[in-house]
Amino acid sequence: MSFAADRHARIVIIGAGAIGCSLAYHLARAGEKDVLVLEKAQITHGCTWHAAGLVGQLRGKKSLTRLMQNSVAVFDRLAGEIGQATDWKKVGSLRLASSEARWSEIRRSMQLAKSFGFEAHMLTPQEARDRFPYIDPDGVVGAAFIPSDGYIDPYAVTQAFAYAARQNGAKIEEGVCVEDIVIENRRAVGVVTDHGTIGCDVLVNCAGLWAKRIGEMAGVALAAGVVEHQYFVTEKGLEYGDDLPTLRDPDKNFYLKPDVGGAFAIGGWEDGTEGCWGQRAPFDFGRQLFPANMDRLELFALPAAERLPVLNEIGIRTVINGPIPVSADGEPIMGLAPELDNFYVACGFTAGIAASGGAGDAMANWIMHGDPGLDLWPFDIRRFGAPHAQANYLQERAIEAYGSYYKIHWPGEESHAGRGLRRSPLHVALKANGARFGSKFGWERPNWFALDGTTSDETPSFEDKPGWFDAVGEEAKAIRERVALIDQTSFSKFEITGQGARAALNRIAAGDLSGEPGRAIYTQLCNEKGGVEADVTLIHAGPERFLLVTGSGFGVRDSAWVRRHLPDGVTMREVTNSLAVINVCGPKARDVLQTLTPADLSNAGFPFLAAKEIEIGLATALAVRVGYVGELGWELYVPQDYAVHVYEALKEAGGPHGIADVGYRAIESCRLEKGYLYWSADVTPETTPYEAGLGFAVALDKGDFIGREALAEAKAAGPQRKLVTLTVGGFAPFLGGETVLLDGEPVGSLTSAGYGHHLGRTIGFGYLPAELAGREGFAIEAFGTAYDAVRGPRCLYDAKMERLKA
């Protein structure tokens, strides 16, 4: 039965905070006239009204900095465009480093900024004090100054967005509360409100504190949490000019902006904040605050007074303690919900005022054109799944993410909250064998193994070798010289079946899926522009039966992409939790596995990329001759109840060959040596297979498929940029994002990087203009040092694949 609404709007936006009003403005400005914003109370009455309003752009990833840059561009033009004040103060920002580790982190971010022309300046402690005279420079190592940062009045800018949206034809209705969402055939066809029903073609959840509850109405699980956040405003009377910048001292755990009347507004990100309402905010909560918590306030107020002694001379005028959105990883949640075809989300913005301009622009592009205009995977709703949205898990993670906001974000850092949720059947055995676990999509996965008699530990580092460096080197040695076992159970796995499954997947994948069952196909799934939406393995397991295998954190995204393009009659179901995956790899892998199976594992009997059901020990497994480390090996897909038996049998059979357990950090080292790419870093929706050197996986002659026309044009024209491999002898502190120099000038940046333990070289991948890709004489700049780099072949190890196909 179709939904019969009282009225209809093409695009309905739920929530009139800074994000919702910005989106309405950008949609209407771009020509969408039938836009309706529904606000249960009044504009800004969620958490916008009590936000501090700092605008900072420099982030740890290029795409995130670009989003914030886009916000500043909007703030720059908005007041003049509508003739209404936004109180935008572009005074710049100072970020202090009060420790050597923090200075490394800041310099790394500034290095990233340099690679794409973002203006940021390194200052001495005295230069920082010259810009902000209240600073006591004792203990300050250095500072970053970003001249285009500043602060803005949250109420004024949101009202400006609302005014501009209305001027361009959008409607905003206050005092209208959404009570339910009507779903038909994977579409949100309308909303039920306390003022009647409204049909829609597109529904957008910008509900801020209430976003999780709105999502639940639509059957969409959102990892959008809510916690308490405090800041205080000092007494008035300080004397400073209109150009005083904002200030952040993350080591002292506080931020500051100038306030009216010569006051400061000062906040922080303390440990131990409170989660709110079991992560489901009540709809009757409005323009309200919580009682001040002075014990928590001291956790940033006292350190702030150490850095700014003047705070000991002035009192606190007001304490603001209000709810603030925080997602399960501390970053916003944006995009098209995978469960539905027309339900978009823009929520979880801890820095919602700073992001509002760029987020509204990106979401408008997403809704109107199917593409946000830049790679926003770190914000994408599909990075989360149902485990992250479970209320208790979400609260733990949100509280930790909040308290970590100003903590040093070390390379390879792991979350401590919400751990132990998903465990492979091998978990107990691997833990007993010294596994040091990390977490991915709720799974506990071994990063590396601590062996008796070794001194490796979990000490991270920016500029030196991390504590696990030697242990990972030994694991890489086992992969290259002997035989290793890797628990890959966390890989996302989906079974695709039904009449026409192969034909359907052939229209979705860039590779050729023709042929008989019994093989694995490495392929990309491209969008209409030829960009890489997913990088996957498809196992042709039987007639009209395929297994799609992708990374642990990419399952929601990749499966949603495939599902949207499957025809009726072809079904897809997740089998991640039913199948364990054990990878046995290394030059002795055949010797070990052959002792446990009667199957012919010879190169002729079981060639590279073959997939067969085999008996192994007392169990049966789907064995696939493929792997991500570039060695002879098999991935064994085993029902979870048989996995421990298979693992124990392999471990015993491998004993004479020096078999070793290895973790994901060794995989990373080996894949860099082999030239294998990682989706979201080396390939993204903004890159084509031809730019990335993956043209061999594109079958233009197989018939039509998604992106074929764009890819044919791209191949004919030739890539404008190319992914190259650059190496430095020995260890260099490359983490990804470093600037690539030619003749001293920036020409690109590294997409991913790390140390190749077998080759003894630091390896980085990066895109360069095609006309420069064949040049020599490159350097890579990291932490103020330029390292001479050698441009090598794409595959540095076993380029002829002799070991892989042995």
Side-chain angles (χ1 to χ4, degrees), residues 488 491 493 517-522 537-542 545-549 579-585 589 593 601 606-614 616 620-628 631-638 804:
Q488 296 177 176
F491 278 15
K493 303 172 284 288
R519 71 185 184 108
I521 304 98
Y522 168 64
T537 298
L538 286 165
I539 302 170
H540 193 176
R545 177 173 173 263
F546 288 81
L547 195 66
L548 182 148
V549 183
L579 290 174
V581 182
I582 303 171
N583 184 1
V584 52
C585 57
L593 187 57
L601 300 182
F606 208 128
F608 181 59
L609 295 180
K612 300 180 181 181
E613 291 277 351
I614 66 169
I616 176 169
T620 301
L622 173 62
V624 184
R625 194 173 161 191
V626 70
Y628 198 46
E631 294 288 349
L632 171 69
W634 284 263
E635 289 180 354
L636 305 173
Y637 293 77
V638 188
L804 198 61

Side-chain angles (χ1 to χ4, degrees), residues 403-453:
S404 299
Y405 205 80
Y406 273 177
K407 290 181 180 176
I408 294 173
H409 294 289
W410 295 99
E413 71 176 352
E414 293 284 351
S415 175
H416 298 287
R419 295 298 296 270
L421 177 62
R422 306 176 79 181
R423 306 183 194 190
S424 156
L426 308 184
H427 181 85
V428 172
L430 297 178
K431 184 176 181 180
N433 291 344
R436 295 295 182 264
F437 292 97
S439 178
K440 180 70 76 170
F441 213 79
W443 286 96
E444 294 294 310
R445 312 193 314 174
N447 280 336
W448 62 282
F449 288 79
L451 303 179
D452 292 340

Side-chain angles (χ1 to χ4, degrees), residues 223-401:
V226 184
V227 303
E228 292 185 16
H229 175 60
Q230 293 189 118
Y231 68 91
F232 64 90
V233 181
T234 69
E235 294 175 342
K236 300 179 180 181
L238 295 170
E239 296 184 1
Y240 51 77
D242 292 339
D243 60 347
L244 189 73
T246 62
L247 177 68
R248 295 169 178 83
D249 188 339
D251 288 308
K252 298 293 187 182
N253 199 24
F254 77 91
Y255 62 79
L256 175 153
K257 76 162 185 174
D259 206 69
V260 294
F264 290 149
I266 300 174
W269 308 95
E270 74 282 3
D271 285 326
T273 189
E274 295 291 331
C276 302
W277 306 297
Q279 301 308 302
R280 292 179 172 88
F283 286 128
D284 59 1
F285 185 87
R287 201 172 188 273
Q288 300 161 256
L289 295 171
F290 303 126
N293 185 311
M294 302 309 291
D295 290 337
R296 291 208 325 267
L297 195 78
E298 287 185 350
L299 295 178
F300 61 86
L302 296 181
E306 294 174 358
R307 181 60 63 219
L308 304 168
V310 71
L311 296 181
N312 295 306
E313 303 170 13
I314 57 175
I316 293 176
R317 179 160 50 98
T318 306
V319 175
I320 306 294
N321 184 20
I324 188 172
V326 182
S327 75
D329 64 4
E331 299 289 3
I333 306 173
M334 300 172 65
L336 178 62
E339 297 89 343
L340 299 172
D341 295 333
N342 68 334
F343 184 78
Y344 290 83
V345 173
C347 66
F349 286 86
T350 303
I353 304 303
S356 60
D361 181 47
M363 288 301 303
N365 285 327
W366 223 328
I367 292 166
M368 296 176 69
H369 309 300
D371 180 355
L374 66 165
D375 175 23
L376 288 182
W377 171 243
F379 288 177
D380 198 301
I381 184 176
R382 293 167 294 179
R383 75 189 189 275
F384 291 135
H388 303 97
Q390 198 268 357
N392 292 330
Y393 179 93
L394 174 58
Q395 180 150 302
E396 282 191 28
R397 290 294 296 267
I399 289 172
E400 182 187 59

Side-chain angles (χ1 to χ4, degrees), residues 561-576:
W561 180 264
V562 172
R563 189 173 283 113
R564 289 185 195 282
H565 294 97
L566 287 178
D568 292 340
V570 177
T571 61
M572 185 177 195
R573 70 183 184 99
E574 184 166 7
V575 293
T576 301

